[in-house]
Amino acid sequence: MKNIVEVSNEKQEQTIKRLYENGFVPNTFMTFNPRQQNISEQYLAYHFKEALGKYYAKTLGKRYNKHPELQYKMIVFLEHGKNRDVDENMPHLHILIDLPKDKVQDFYEFMLDRLRIFYYYMSDERDKTLINITGQPLDMQRIWCYGDKELVKSEKDRRFRPSRIFTTKDFQKPIRHFNQYNKNECIREWFLSAP
């Protein structure tokens, strides 16, 4: 009988293999942490989507949505974090992304500046939150272990809500019928919609 560690490693290897076979080879791991308690996870994802749209409008032009093939491949983990001293959550984003090396700093700084509009306490800790991945499967496995750690926490203690995972396609989906009267409803519909 296989022990839990062997099964976990096999699952990670299968996941990594599937990602690579689908052509997704991320070279950067970054984190955006608003450092605020009990913020809306729905609006954090929405603000990231809006910032991403502004970045693409700047780099690809206003009609960037007509060129999804030029947009960067990414996986975004929205984690709920947990302040150990109080019973409150602190949502934050971990991003695995395939960026050209000369665009990494520009992308990170642009997204950080846009998100700071809504999350004033978000700090620039690029030495801790911006990691270059060498492209080696072992690097991917180490980063994937971090996501597994969050999943295990939520399975052991039901107070932890599991991470929500978004892909490039989620951020390419439009928010339908958006106006001042149904803004919250439309954002919620986009947030909960299937990938």
Side-chain angles (χ1 to χ4, degrees), residues 46-60:
Y46 168 71
H47 291 139
F48 182 82
K49 175 182 170 38
E50 290 296 300
L52 193 60
K54 298 275 186 199
Y55 178 81
Y56 288 142
K58 177 186 131 187
T59 57
L60 302 175

Side-chain angles (χ1 to χ4, degrees), residues 33-148:
N33 190 344
R35 302 192 184 287
Q36 295 175 18
Q37 296 175 345
N38 295 329
I39 61 172
S40 168
E41 60 200 35
Q42 176 177 300
Y43 270 90
L44 179 58
Y46 168 71
H47 291 139
F48 182 82
K49 175 182 170 38
E50 290 296 300
L52 193 60
K54 298 275 186 199
Y55 178 81
Y56 288 142
K58 177 186 131 187
T59 57
L60 302 175
K62 290 185 179 186
R63 299 179 64 86
Y64 68 89
N65 57 343
K66 301 288 184 193
H67 303 284
E69 73 282 357
L70 298 177
Q71 297 174 25
Y72 303 129
K73 293 180 181 178
M74 72 177 78
I75 295 176
V76 176
F77 300 89
L78 191 155
E79 294 182 352
H80 303 284
K82 182 100 171 128
N83 187 335
R84 301 194 191 308
D85 299 329
V86 292
D87 194 22
E88 296 176 333
N89 66 21
M90 298 180 75
H92 55 280
L93 303 171
H94 295 294
I95 296 102
L96 276 171
I97 187 168
D98 182 15
L99 281 169
K101 288 198 185 285
D102 62 330
K103 302 283 187 196
V104 171
Q105 288 297 327
D106 182 50
F107 180 84
Y108 179 80
E109 289 170 9
F110 185 91
M111 296 300 285
L112 184 66
D113 288 344
R114 295 300 304 177
L115 289 170
R116 275 187 182 151
I117 293 170
F118 303 101
Y119 308 103
Y120 178 76
Y121 296 108
M122 187 175 288
S123 60
D124 182 359
E125 295 180 335
R126 70 187 75 208
D127 58 325
K128 295 179 189 172
T129 62
L130 187 59
I131 301 168
N132 290 324
I133 303 169
T134 63
Q136 300 298 320
L138 186 59
D139 275 359
M140 276 296 296
Q141 188 171 6
R142 286 181 187 137
I143 286 171
W144 215 260
C145 283
Y146 185 82
D148 282 353

